[in-house]
């Protein structure tokens, strides 16, 4: 997967375009967000079912910092920003009222021969809260 295709994936993610987003995941994709917190998802629908309600409660925006294409493997450093949507709740991340969470994450993607993600692993490098 080249950078231009990954940028289309990220545009669908940031735009909450779940129909397009789903086309980037293999049917049996595995997503490990945090094994220690039990945030491990198997299958395209499981990932989309994580993000749909989460994005109803949190405005999330992700930008590429660094991108490395290894053919069937991607390594991407991203900066993400999370803001609570007033009156909504979620249980995936700790997001105190009046704060924005800024996270730098390293994400590793296994890419299948059809150019879809078969495995995604993510790990946070830094997390900080700032006043809105």
């Amino acid at each position: 997967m080249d950078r231009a295709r990954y940028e289309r994936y990220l545009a669908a993610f940031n735009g909450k375009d779940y129909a397009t987003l789903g086309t980037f995941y293999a049917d049996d994709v595995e997503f490990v967000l945090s094994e220690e917190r039990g945030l491990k998802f198997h299958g395209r629908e499981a990932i989309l079912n994580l993000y749909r309600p989460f994005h109803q409660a949190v405005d999330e925006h992700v930008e590429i910092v660094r991108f490395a294409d290894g053919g069937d493997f991607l390594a991407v450093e991203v900066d993400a920003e999370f803001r609570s949507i007033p009156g909504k709740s979620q249980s995936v991340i700790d997001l105190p009222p009046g704060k924005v969470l800024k996270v730098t994450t390293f994400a590793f993607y296994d890419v299948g021969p059809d150019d879809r993600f078969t495995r995604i692993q993510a790990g946070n490098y830094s997390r900080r809260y700032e006043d809105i």
Side-chain angles (χ1 to χ4, degrees):
M1 178 179 294
D2 63 17
R3 183 173 175 135
R5 180 160 164 76
Y6 186 82
E7 287 176 353
R8 288 191 297 277
Y9 163 74
L10 203 54
F13 184 88
N14 286 332
K16 304 350 176 224
D17 178 354
Y18 302 109
T20 300
L21 191 63
T23 66
F24 287 89
Y25 301 126
D27 293 341
D28 61 347
V29 61
E30 180 183 34
F31 177 34
V32 182
L33 184 57
S34 172
E35 228 169 316
E36 67 185 13
R37 293 179 42 222
L39 297 174
K40 189 173 180 180
F41 306 89
H42 187 80
R44 175 188 305 119
E45 285 307 311
I47 294 171
L48 296 175
N49 289 337
L50 161 72
Y51 284 125
R52 284 183 189 111
F54 179 73
H55 288 149
Q56 289 177 359
V58 175
D59 181 25
E60 177 180 9
H61 183 79
V62 180
E63 293 186 7
I64 300 169
V65 176
R66 291 187 180 163
F67 177 89
D69 177 0
D72 62 352
F73 178 81
L74 301 178
V76 186
E77 179 183 356
V78 297
D79 282 338
E81 186 172 288
F82 302 87
R83 295 175 183 266
S84 292
I85 296 174
K88 304 289 184 170
S89 64
Q90 52 78 36
S91 60
V92 177
I93 61 172
D94 182 29
L95 194 52
K99 300 285 185 181
V100 59
L101 174 61
K102 295 187 176 187
V103 178
T104 299
T105 298
F106 298 119
F108 303 105
Y109 301 83
D110 291 343
V111 182
D114 59 357
D115 219 24
R116 295 188 302 161
F117 302 131
T118 58
R119 185 167 189 235
I120 305 166
Q121 292 180 287
N124 296 330
Y125 171 71
S126 77
R127 298 171 58 92
R128 67 189 182 285
Y129 294 96
E130 295 180 5
D131 292 329
I132 293 179

